[in-house]
Amino acid sequence: MDCIFCKIINKELNSEILYEDNKMIIIKDIYPKANIHYLAIPKKHISTHMDIDYNDQELMGYIHLVINKFTKEKGINSYKLVMNCGYEAGQRVFHIHFHILSGQKFGEV
Ligand code: AMP
Ligand code: ZN
């Protein structure tokens, strides 16, 4: 499959992996849009938020718990968590991921 994030997960493409377990990774975004910009990515290839299935409930909850633990360990206590869904919304990599944005002040949305 021609998916950048699957390639990163399979170590076919280099990336700065900050966290990894059997279900997910957290990497540094290569083109950061904030002072701190990480991406939390499940190892399972799911194209968009709309493709999340009932079978993925545990995985989706798990990702949030790891993000909690990861940000706490980094001393981050305020962050914006973003998932773009669909091209019009700004999604460019069609393998779901949460943007973890921090290290600065943001607007309200
Ligand atoms: P989105 O537009 O929501 O699909 O977000 C995709 C994100 O992936 C963007 O912020 C890109 O900067 C980031 N990105 C693309 N290629 C790579 C890569 N090889 N390593 C790390 N981040 C990447
Ligand atoms: Zn993928």
Side-chain angles (χ1 to χ4, degrees), residues 3 6 45 95:
C3 168
C6 281
H45 180 93
H95 177 139

Side-chain angles (χ1 to χ4, degrees), residues 53-90:
D53 193 69
Y54 280 93
N55 297 328
D56 302 318
Q57 284 182 85
E58 203 179 316
L59 173 63
M60 296 312 295
Y62 179 76
I63 291 169
H64 287 284
L65 295 176
V66 171
I67 290 171
N68 279 356
K69 188 166 161 270
F70 176 83
T71 49
K72 270 187 197 125
E73 279 172 9
K74 289 249 172 223
I76 296 170
N77 52 25
S78 176
Y79 51 88
K80 199 182 272 293
L81 198 58
V82 174
M83 185 184 286
N84 297 319
C85 179
Y87 191 87
E88 294 291 305

Side-chain angles (χ1 to χ4, degrees), residues 22-34:
N22 60 334
K23 293 192 187 71
M24 63 179 281
I25 57 172
I26 299 179
I27 65 171
K28 269 197 179 174
D29 196 294
I30 201 170
Y31 305 117
K33 281 95 184 166

Side-chain angles (χ1 to χ4, degrees), residues 1-17 20 23-31 33 37-48 82-84 90-99:
M1 195 188 295
D2 198 23
C3 168
I4 295 173
F5 289 169
C6 281
K7 284 185 180 152
I8 288 173
I9 289 157
N10 296 327
K11 311 282 159 53
E12 293 161 21
L13 199 70
N14 233 20
S15 165
E16 211 172 321
I17 298 178
E20 176 164 23
K23 293 192 187 71
M24 63 179 281
I25 57 172
I26 299 179
I27 65 171
K28 269 197 179 174
D29 196 294
I30 201 170
Y31 305 117
K33 281 95 184 166
H37 190 170
Y38 304 132
L39 300 172
I41 311 171
K43 288 192 170 175
K44 180 180 177 187
H45 180 93
I46 301 170
S47 297
T48 81
V82 174
M83 185 184 286
N84 297 319
Q91 187 176 5
R92 293 297 177 269
V93 178
F94 284 78
H95 177 139
I96 59 164
H97 50 281
F98 285 104
H99 296 261

